[in-house]
Amino acid sequence: MNKLEKITPLEQDFAKWYTDVVKQGQLIAYGPAKGTLVFKPNSYGIWELIQENLNKIFKQKGIQNVYLPLLIPQKLFELEKEHVNGFNPELATVTRVGDRELSEKFYIRPTSEVLFANLFKNSIESYKDLPIVYNQWANVLRWEKTTNPFLRSREFLWQEGHTCHSNALEARKLTREMIKVYAKFLKKYLAIPVVIGKKTSHEKFAGACSTYTIEAMMKDGRALQAGTSHYLAQNFSKPYEIIFKNQDNEYINVFQTSWGVSTRLLGAIIMTHGDNHGIVIPPRVAPTQIDILELFADKSEEVKEISKKLNKELSKKWRVRVDSTNKNPGFKAANSEIQGTPLRIEIGPRDLENKNVTIVRRDTLEKITVKIKDVKNLVGNLLDDIHENLYESALKRLNENSVTVFTYDDFKKEISNGKFVTAPFCCLDEAEVRIKEETGASTRCIPLKLDKPEKNRKCIFDECKKETNRYVVFAKSY
Amino acid sequence: MNKLEKITPLEQDFAKWYTDVVKQGQLIAYGPAKGTLVFKPNSYGIWELIQENLNKIFKQKGIQNVYLPLLIPQKLFELEKEHVNGFNPELATVTRVGDRELSEKFYIRPTSEVLFANLFKNSIESYKDLPIVYNQWANVLRWEKTTNPFLRSREFLWQEGHTCHSNALEARKLTREMIKVYAKFLKKYLAIPVVIGKKTSHEKFAGACSTYTIEAMMKDGRALQAGTSHYLAQNFSKPYEIIFKNQDNEYINVFQTSWGVSTRLLGAIIMTHGDNHGIVIPPRVAPTQIDILELFADKSEEVKEISKKLNKELSKKWRVRVDSTNKNPGFKAANSEIQGTPLRIEIGPRDLENKNVTIVRRDTLEKITVKIKDVKNLVGNLLDDIHENLYESALKRLNENSVTVFTYDDFKKEISNGKFVTAPFCCLDEAEVRIKEETGASTRCIPLKLDKPEKNRKCIFDECKKETNRYVVFAKSY
């Protein structure tokens, strides 16, 4: 690649800005089948760091990684009716091998509840075998009609946790614990603040008893569901006959949970931190944390020398990449920016005369002239600063764009302003469908924490005359 | 699980021994579709450590990880004829989504040459973009008729490297370099010695110009192909039109390589090191390196105390698991052995009276009584010793069971003795087929290194009257 194309300003056309950023940022290429993606090193590297860091957290919690098959026999899938109805229109089906028609058809997994159910059924005997807390890193397929890189593609990568417990209490507790693990992870590693809450019955996972979610706010005000944790109760363990003998020698169905985050998180990073120069990758998951740019190296041996020295020194602790091409300084800077590298160090002959180099922060684009000997000490602090700044900016935006309303008129106005709108709402599925038709907004969650909610306010749904204490966050969403 | 079933002695029935080991060792469960596997924590953990360590080596070499789609449009696959003919009978085909028949069919990738070709076609312009050295960790599907856990399953996990170069020399060099990387990796991490060589034309990868292989010897004398590296020349870059502009402004097709190792390696570990007590996992890829067994802890507070202390101390450096169940000592020991943990530390009240614990090596089953304070220093050495011992034993077996022959009678005798048989052989495909029919042996490779081969000896194939300097290793294989 020798030239960088312009990125559409995000104020002008957010959707176009997004697709420009994913393509120009060396993040993806489109796959040969519609709605499929190639994860290039700059995006797959983020995913690998998400994996690495989540795995550390999982390991501390005693979660064990396993790998289950890609294909689900049709008959096995169809035991849990709500689950199958939720996924059926999106199921890619293998019917043939070579020139032979198969007598039994197979679905490519859209999620693995039924595969885990089958495994658990055959491996659990007594309460001594419980709890089982497994996790799988895998690809899944859902044949989406409209697709969007990272956000909604036909194949995506994720982790899916699946657990079995001897009692409902323990399973419910883990369901809530995992959604908090995700919220903390997004804050600490991706610099993304979220609203934690419970899905309404209309929005919960097909087959779950209840679903918890973390909802992040994108720069256009729309919500992105960034992770979910489901309490499955005995909804799968009954049809799939996952039974154990309890301490009283009774045979009981296990209680289950499942939870996951996916490569959607890459979309969340882009739309939370990105700007008109491209993606901004939070330092702790940046495949390259520091770009070293050699400027006018053909005119100065010293540039190469200092570059080599700094690379050696910084690589011990951080992920460093050196641009030693003979492209011009402007191109190199723009290329580093468009790829979202948190820090770049420009080494040029003029700075070197004073034993200086220039460090540029990707988040603020601030330029800092610094003595070569001080670079190492400064870099660690700057990377932490960038993380903090990204998080604080996103949190400020989330707070400033979250409102509580009590009338349907205000509701409609604030939704069209692109806000997260909290409102008293007691109604069921049909009302949610109507509100979505009228405003484009869906229920995101019933937040776990709410600042001093007013009691007994009229439900926001026009036709409902009841008062309620249940507050729900609505927003337009991805 | 409360009881351990017996493992069939390997001398009695090797195939039965193998399936007993994979099931009893908590390595797998069978998936719901025929020929598919569940990788349980004890086997997936080995694969994760293989990934982690190979990734470190890849990173040092500048190899970049990417992820490409699972599905290949039928039309795209069919451009390279030899490739498609090689894979066609094993291709799982998606023809339907939900209730709709698809107008275009998709194959589930059996390997990703054509997907990478499509990516490269769209991202390479000039020699400045070369070389590209990508790697992918992925699941692939090949609808095998007969299946065997790890060795031949319909879905398996692997890494596949795919590269593009501006000239044949560089590509050929990388092909050979990667097979040596694999050989070194197997020695250093899996304690498995191999024969490195080139495949005959009959045995090479469908679509390759040449294939290099590493061949390991299993305990029954059969060969297992443990990794391959292919020089693809321009076989894919021509039909898939992967073109670059060279320094003379000419448009040329790139030169390519591909190379991979898979979860077959788990089978290689079992059949190289396993014994009648179960799998023996080489320490550097063992998910659990040390099992701490608390014996009679109900009768002694001190057992729990020392167990906790040792766990804390050893966990800083090694992967440790504690068995604090109230099962009997014999069960605990057998359970640790059957799961292949390299070392176990038995903590019991009697030893503690003398401030001792007992360490047991999984490879030799030797018991070592040792002062508690000396455990930490001893463990590191023991783990290294176990690795060395496993490697040396396997190497001795490989050497003792490799012979060179010059007559077809000797050839048949040695093959039926379960040896790796090196013989002068100059013939082509038909002769290989005939030899396999008559003896069960296939050509494994033309070894890169051979001790003083005798010149101009008659070809081993009965009907061939020529003399040759080409020596080929034959063996029965998995």
Side-chain angles (χ1 to χ4, degrees), chain A residues 6-216:
Chain A
K6 279 238 170 106
I7 291 173
T8 307
L10 64 88
E11 302 80 5
Q12 185 184 311
D13 184 341
F14 195 80
K16 183 82 167 56
W17 168 83
Y18 181 76
T19 49
D20 285 355
V21 167
V22 292
K23 281 200 72 178
Q24 295 295 318
Q26 295 291 306
L27 295 163
I28 65 142
Y30 290 104
K34 185 181 169 296
T36 63
L37 281 189
V38 172
F39 289 77
K40 295 179 84 169
N42 202 30
S43 66
Y44 194 69
I46 300 174
W47 185 241
E48 286 184 301
L49 286 159
I50 289 174
Q51 276 193 289
E52 187 181 316
N53 288 300
L54 261 181
N55 265 334
K56 276 184 205 157
I57 296 166
F58 287 174
K59 195 155 280 184
Q60 278 169 1
K61 293 193 164 292
I63 298 168
Q64 295 185 294
N65 284 345
V66 293
Y67 184 78
L68 276 65
L70 175 75
L71 297 181
I72 309 175
Q74 194 167 21
K75 271 189 213 126
L76 184 72
F77 198 87
E78 290 170 355
L79 291 175
E80 211 292 319
K81 295 301 168 200
E82 198 178 319
H83 190 60
V84 89
N85 290 339
F87 283 104
N88 189 45
E90 300 176 356
L91 292 175
T93 314
V94 174
T95 65
R96 227 170 60 194
V97 166
D99 303 325
R100 286 168 295 122
E101 201 68 25
L102 293 171
S103 57
E104 185 178 24
K105 315 298 181 210
F106 297 92
Y107 296 130
I108 297 179
R109 62 181 165 217
T111 177
S112 304
E113 271 73 11
V114 308
L115 290 159
F116 275 90
N118 188 64
L119 171 65
F120 292 143
K121 177 190 174 168
N122 297 319
S123 48
I124 295 171
E125 288 172 15
S126 113
Y127 68 93
K128 290 178 191 166
D129 300 322
L130 298 173
I132 296 185
V133 186
Y134 280 166
N135 174 61
Q136 164 170 277
W137 293 94
N139 55 342
V140 287
L141 242 84
R142 297 177 189 178
W143 212 266
E144 305 275 359
K145 277 190 199 107
T146 54
T147 61
N148 202 352
F150 301 129
L151 303 173
R152 204 169 282 282
S153 53
R154 290 192 170 165
E155 179 184 5
F156 59 88
L157 303 177
W158 77 348
Q159 62 66 215
E160 45 180 327
H162 295 269
T163 74
C164 290
H165 307 265
S166 62
N167 62 83
L169 197 72
E170 187 183 288
R172 282 181 185 278
K173 202 177 142 205
L174 186 75
T175 310
R176 287 189 299 268
E177 186 184 328
M178 290 315 297
I179 203 69
K180 286 174 193 163
V181 165
Y182 290 147
K184 209 168 145 186
F185 180 81
L186 262 71
K187 178 178 178 179
K188 185 168 170 192
Y189 290 92
L190 312 186
I192 298 178
V194 294
V195 178
I196 309 180
K198 200 171 170 177
K199 286 283 181 195
T200 62
S201 159
H202 185 60
E203 291 281 337
K204 74 178 168 59
F205 175 71
C209 169
S210 57
T211 290
Y212 291 86
T213 178
I214 48 173
E215 299 283 327

Side-chain angles (χ1 to χ4, degrees), chain B residues 217-256:
Chain B
M217 179 186 281
M218 303 298 98
K219 276 198 170 169
D220 63 349
R222 284 166 78 178
L224 185 132
Q225 176 180 306
T228 49
S229 181
H230 315 294
Y231 172 56
L232 304 177
Q234 296 172 313
N235 294 356
F236 287 85
S237 70
K238 283 188 173 160
Y240 288 93
E241 297 172 347
I242 316 171
I243 290 165
F244 74 102
K245 193 158 79 172
N246 72 9
Q247 281 172 287
D248 303 323
N249 280 326
E250 296 160 337
Y251 287 91
I252 293 182
N253 292 96
V254 300
F255 298 83
Q256 293 187 278

Side-chain angles (χ1 to χ4, degrees), chain B residues 328-345:
Chain B
N328 73 64
F331 176 90
K332 289 187 182 196
N335 191 35
S336 171
E337 280 173 14
I338 211 165
Q339 292 189 37
T341 308
L343 283 181
R344 71 174 186 266
I345 303 178

Side-chain angles (χ1 to χ4, degrees), chain A residues 44 67-71 108-109 136-141 155-157, chain B residues 39 44 47 51 67-72 107-112 115 136-142 153-160 262-263:
Chain A
Y44 194 69
Y67 184 78
L68 276 65
L70 175 75
L71 297 181
I108 297 179
R109 62 181 165 217
Q136 164 170 277
W137 293 94
N139 55 342
V140 287
L141 242 84
E155 179 184 5
F156 59 88
L157 303 177
Chain B
F39 289 76
Y44 194 70
W47 184 241
Q51 275 194 289
Y67 184 78
L68 275 67
L70 176 76
L71 298 182
I72 310 175
Y107 296 130
I108 298 180
R109 63 184 164 213
T111 178
S112 303
L115 290 159
Q136 164 169 278
W137 293 95
N139 54 343
V140 287
L141 242 85
R142 297 177 187 176
S153 52
R154 288 191 172 166
E155 179 184 5
F156 59 88
L157 303 176
W158 77 348
Q159 63 68 218
E160 46 179 327
S262 77
T263 40

